[in-house]
PDB file of all heavy atoms in Angstrom:
ATOM      1  N   PRO A  43      45.241   6.373 -31.521  1.00  0.00           N
ATOM      2  CA  PRO A  43      43.786   6.473 -31.294  1.00  0.00           C
ATOM      3  C   PRO A  43      42.953   6.385 -32.576  1.00  0.00           C
ATOM      4  O   PRO A  43      41.890   5.807 -32.573  1.00  0.00           O
ATOM      5  CB  PRO A  43      43.629   7.848 -30.629  1.00  0.00           C
ATOM      6  CG  PRO A  43      44.965   8.173 -30.069  1.00  0.00           C
ATOM      7  CD  PRO A  43      45.984   7.486 -30.922  1.00  0.00           C
ATOM      8  N   THR A  48      41.720   0.023 -35.812  1.00  0.00           N
ATOM      9  CA  THR A  48      40.990  -0.060 -34.542  1.00  0.00           C
ATOM     10  C   THR A  48      39.755  -0.955 -34.657  1.00  0.00           C
ATOM     11  O   THR A  48      38.945  -0.794 -35.561  1.00  0.00           O
ATOM     12  CB  THR A  48      40.568   1.351 -34.080  1.00  0.00           C
ATOM     13  OG1 THR A  48      41.749   2.129 -33.918  1.00  0.00           O
ATOM     14  CG2 THR A  48      39.830   1.295 -32.746  1.00  0.00           C
ATOM     15  N   LEU A  75      37.263  -6.544 -41.932  1.00  0.00           N
ATOM     16  CA  LEU A  75      36.704  -7.307 -40.816  1.00  0.00           C
ATOM     17  C   LEU A  75      35.525  -8.142 -41.304  1.00  0.00           C
ATOM     18  O   LEU A  75      34.564  -7.617 -41.848  1.00  0.00           O
ATOM     19  CB  LEU A  75      36.246  -6.337 -39.715  1.00  0.00           C
ATOM     20  CG  LEU A  75      35.676  -6.975 -38.447  1.00  0.00           C
ATOM     21  CD1 LEU A  75      36.747  -7.769 -37.699  1.00  0.00           C
ATOM     22  CD2 LEU A  75      35.092  -5.904 -37.532  1.00  0.00           C
ATOM     23  N   SER A 141      35.256 -29.021 -25.801  1.00  0.00           N
ATOM     24  CA  SER A 141      35.691 -30.424 -25.862  1.00  0.00           C
ATOM     25  C   SER A 141      35.646 -30.931 -27.298  1.00  0.00           C
ATOM     26  O   SER A 141      36.560 -31.620 -27.760  1.00  0.00           O
ATOM     27  CB  SER A 141      34.791 -31.291 -24.975  1.00  0.00           C
ATOM     28  OG  SER A 141      34.797 -30.794 -23.653  1.00  0.00           O
ATOM     29  N   LEU A 178      45.516 -43.595 -23.538  1.00  0.00           N
ATOM     30  CA  LEU A 178      45.752 -42.285 -24.147  1.00  0.00           C
ATOM     31  C   LEU A 178      46.726 -42.388 -25.319  1.00  0.00           C
ATOM     32  O   LEU A 178      46.553 -41.766 -26.353  1.00  0.00           O
ATOM     33  CB  LEU A 178      46.300 -41.310 -23.105  1.00  0.00           C
ATOM     34  CG  LEU A 178      45.467 -41.145 -21.822  1.00  0.00           C
ATOM     35  CD1 LEU A 178      46.185 -40.220 -20.852  1.00  0.00           C
ATOM     36  CD2 LEU A 178      44.078 -40.614 -22.133  1.00  0.00           C
ATOM     37  N   LYS A 190      42.540 -55.604 -16.367  1.00  0.00           N
ATOM     38  CA  LYS A 190      43.018 -56.194 -15.112  1.00  0.00           C
ATOM     39  C   LYS A 190      44.540 -56.277 -15.070  1.00  0.00           C
ATOM     40  O   LYS A 190      45.146 -56.166 -14.016  1.00  0.00           O
ATOM     41  CB  LYS A 190      42.416 -57.580 -14.925  1.00  0.00           C
ATOM     42  CG  LYS A 190      40.931 -57.489 -14.604  1.00  0.00           C
ATOM     43  CD  LYS A 190      40.321 -58.834 -14.268  1.00  0.00           C
ATOM     44  CE  LYS A 190      38.827 -58.703 -14.027  1.00  0.00           C
ATOM     45  NZ  LYS A 190      38.019 -59.422 -15.011  1.00  0.00           N
ATOM     46  N   ARG A 207      31.189 -42.861 -25.380  1.00  0.00           N
ATOM     47  CA  ARG A 207      30.258 -42.541 -26.487  1.00  0.00           C
ATOM     48  C   ARG A 207      30.180 -41.030 -26.698  1.00  0.00           C
ATOM     49  O   ARG A 207      30.118 -40.560 -27.833  1.00  0.00           O
ATOM     50  CB  ARG A 207      28.863 -43.122 -26.199  1.00  0.00           C
ATOM     51  CG  ARG A 207      28.765 -44.621 -26.500  1.00  0.00           C
ATOM     52  CD  ARG A 207      27.310 -45.099 -26.476  1.00  0.00           C
ATOM     53  NE  ARG A 207      26.745 -45.052 -25.132  1.00  0.00           N
ATOM     54  CZ  ARG A 207      26.890 -46.038 -24.227  1.00  0.00           C
ATOM     55  NH1 ARG A 207      27.573 -47.137 -24.531  1.00  0.00           N
ATOM     56  NH2 ARG A 207      26.351 -45.915 -23.037  1.00  0.00           N
ATOM     57  N   LEU A 225      24.077 -33.739 -21.798  1.00  0.00           N
ATOM     58  CA  LEU A 225      25.052 -34.302 -20.864  1.00  0.00           C
ATOM     59  C   LEU A 225      24.747 -33.876 -19.443  1.00  0.00           C
ATOM     60  O   LEU A 225      24.352 -32.733 -19.211  1.00  0.00           O
ATOM     61  CB  LEU A 225      26.467 -33.810 -21.211  1.00  0.00           C
ATOM     62  CG  LEU A 225      26.974 -34.037 -22.620  1.00  0.00           C
ATOM     63  CD1 LEU A 225      28.422 -33.620 -22.712  1.00  0.00           C
ATOM     64  CD2 LEU A 225      26.831 -35.487 -23.020  1.00  0.00           C
ATOM     65  N   PHE A 254      43.883 -20.822 -16.643  1.00  0.00           N
ATOM     66  CA  PHE A 254      42.741 -19.940 -16.394  1.00  0.00           C
ATOM     67  C   PHE A 254      41.448 -20.737 -16.491  1.00  0.00           C
ATOM     68  O   PHE A 254      40.573 -20.659 -15.635  1.00  0.00           O
ATOM     69  CB  PHE A 254      42.767 -18.796 -17.416  1.00  0.00           C
ATOM     70  CG  PHE A 254      41.563 -17.891 -17.377  1.00  0.00           C
ATOM     71  CD1 PHE A 254      41.197 -17.253 -16.205  1.00  0.00           C
ATOM     72  CD2 PHE A 254      40.819 -17.672 -18.520  1.00  0.00           C
ATOM     73  CE1 PHE A 254      40.091 -16.413 -16.166  1.00  0.00           C
ATOM     74  CE2 PHE A 254      39.706 -16.829 -18.494  1.00  0.00           C
ATOM     75  CZ  PHE A 254      39.347 -16.208 -17.317  1.00  0.00           C
TER      76      PHE A 254
END
Side-chain angles (χ1 to χ4, degrees):
T48 300
L75 182 66
S141 304
L178 306 176
K190 289 186 183 116
R207 281 192 292 275
L225 305 186
F254 174 56

